[in-house]
Amino acid sequence: MINMKKIITFILCAMALNANAQQPVEGTTYFLPKTAVQFRILIEKTTYTPGELAVYAEKYMKMQNTDENPSVAYRILNTTSNSYGIPDTTKQHTAIVDKKHSIIRINKYANGMLLAINAEPKTIEIVKDFKASPKPAAVNPRDFMNSDILSAGSKAKMAELIAQDIYDIRESRNQLSRGEADFMPKDGEQLKIMLANLNKQENALMQVFEGTIVKDTIEKVITFIPEKEVNKQVLFRFSRKLGFVDSDDLSGRPIYISVTDLHSIPPLKLDIDTKKSKDDCGVYVNLPGSIRLSLYDGNKPYKSFDIYAAQFGRTESISGELFGKKFTTHIVLNPVTGNADELKTEPLE
């Protein structure tokens, strides 16, 4: 015979346990970080514009193989890296705030990432984007042409007159350098100024034959989140003629990245042994693992960076005893790895 009293008692107990399980924990919810990497690649862009009279460069200036077609070329100057933290949604915890624990202040980033407990957080350093220095204003060759050149009836005649002007400038400079000019400067400073003006005139006029080359330095930022060990995964592709191209565009040569787990995890140093404690107050930190990021230009090693990454380590619980009635603890987390950069325990009076 079924004992109805026992069944009812069992149901009531189950309901009570379910109700207790669904009660929200009082505290502050936060995330520990995952480590992301930014590669900052400096690229030099070289733009060549042929001279207006490039076709006459060999005839009048004895310049051979003058390129009459415009071109653009790119090359990588340097690659640097910086790490930063992003919230790891798989590491969401709730720090218990109650009368039993001395968790007074919890500092989080705007994205919910834990920065400090009972302490001032570290300042998150923001890497500034590259800003190129201002370039001098371009020189217009026509500003240095006399009336005869400007009124020449054909390109060929203009090229002839400009070439003659350039040769005259060179002769004047040689006479000044040898001290044989009809009007010599009074001192060295005046000589320096006169020679600089002659050089400026010659360089401006030579542009009509040899063209101009303009160099610009630009920065490309690539974000990479290492999740596991990989061997020569395409990070980006780079073309000498086009610069950065899509990762599946075979016109660019591949720049690979390899991720190697160095299997090195620094221990958490505590002043007090709390291994036997069962008091979980919801405070966790990361013990990040060391990894090596290796870049390859094709099969040729290019650069490597050793960093600590949160996702290659493990998570460590901080015992509630450290926030109990006998002690209080101040923790400052590394905003990149979530490791405890500062962990100070002090007794309570």
Side-chain angles (χ1 to χ4, degrees), residues 70-208:
S71 63
V72 178
Y74 298 84
R75 71 184 181 105
I76 295 175
L77 296 176
N78 191 27
T79 300
T80 58
S81 72
N82 64 279
S83 303
Y84 66 101
I86 58 175
D88 189 338
T89 55
T90 67
K91 295 180 181 179
Q92 179 177 339
H93 303 282
T94 299
I96 298 174
V97 180
D98 56 18
K99 294 180 180 180
K100 296 181 181 179
H101 299 96
S102 57
I103 299 176
I104 302 169
R105 185 164 44 127
I106 297 176
N107 283 293
K108 298 189 297 181
Y109 199 48
N111 56 16
M113 203 167 66
L114 182 64
L115 295 177
I117 295 179
N118 296 342
E120 288 296 322
K122 276 192 169 184
T123 302
I124 298 179
E125 296 183 4
I126 299 176
V127 179
K128 294 182 179 180
D129 293 334
F130 172 80
K131 187 176 181 181
S133 302
K135 292 185 296 186
V139 177
N140 186 356
R142 292 183 177 273
D143 293 341
F144 298 87
M145 295 179 187
N146 57 42
S147 57
D148 291 338
I149 296 173
L150 294 173
S151 61
S154 66
K155 294 269 187 189
K157 185 61 177 177
M158 178 180 282
E160 180 185 356
L161 293 174
I162 292 174
Q164 186 57 53
D165 232 9
I166 292 173
Y167 289 128
D168 289 345
I169 290 170
R170 291 176 179 177
E171 179 61 25
S172 298
R173 186 172 57 219
N174 288 336
Q175 289 178 351
L176 282 171
S177 300
R178 293 194 296 261
E180 298 174 355
D182 293 337
F183 301 97
M184 287 298 297
K186 295 179 180 179
D187 53 40
E189 187 61 29
Q190 281 191 351
L191 176 61
K192 185 177 178 180
I193 293 172
M194 291 177 69
L195 290 174
N197 286 332
L198 290 172
N199 288 335
K200 185 176 181 180
Q201 293 176 47
E202 180 183 352
N203 292 335
L205 293 175
M206 281 295 294
Q207 288 183 19
V208 301

Side-chain angles (χ1 to χ4, degrees), residues 200-239:
K200 185 176 181 180
Q201 293 176 47
E202 180 183 352
N203 292 335
L205 293 175
M206 281 295 294
Q207 288 183 19
V208 301
F209 296 113
E210 63 186 7
T212 58
I213 295 177
V214 177
K215 294 181 181 292
D216 294 293
T217 304
I218 52 181
E219 181 184 62
K220 173 75 172 179
V221 179
I222 295 178
T223 298
F224 177 75
I225 302 176
E227 299 285 1
K228 59 182 181 180
E229 286 191 296
V230 296
N231 183 32
K232 289 191 176 180
Q233 171 184 313
V234 175
L235 182 64
F236 62 89
R237 286 183 179 271
F238 188 81
S239 166

Side-chain angles (χ1 to χ4, degrees), residues 311-328:
Q311 54 271 33
F312 282 80
R314 68 175 188 271
T315 302
E316 187 84 3
S317 172
I318 304 298
S319 171
E321 280 191 32
L322 297 180
F323 299 95
K325 295 180 180 179
K326 295 182 179 180
F327 302 96
T328 188

Side-chain angles (χ1 to χ4, degrees), residues 2 41 114 132 152 168 181 209 225 233 244 262 269 303 306:
I2 300 174
I41 301 113
L114 182 64
D168 289 345
F209 296 113
I225 302 176
Q233 171 184 313
F244 281 88
L262 300 179
K269 296 181 181 180
K303 279 203 170 184
D306 288 0

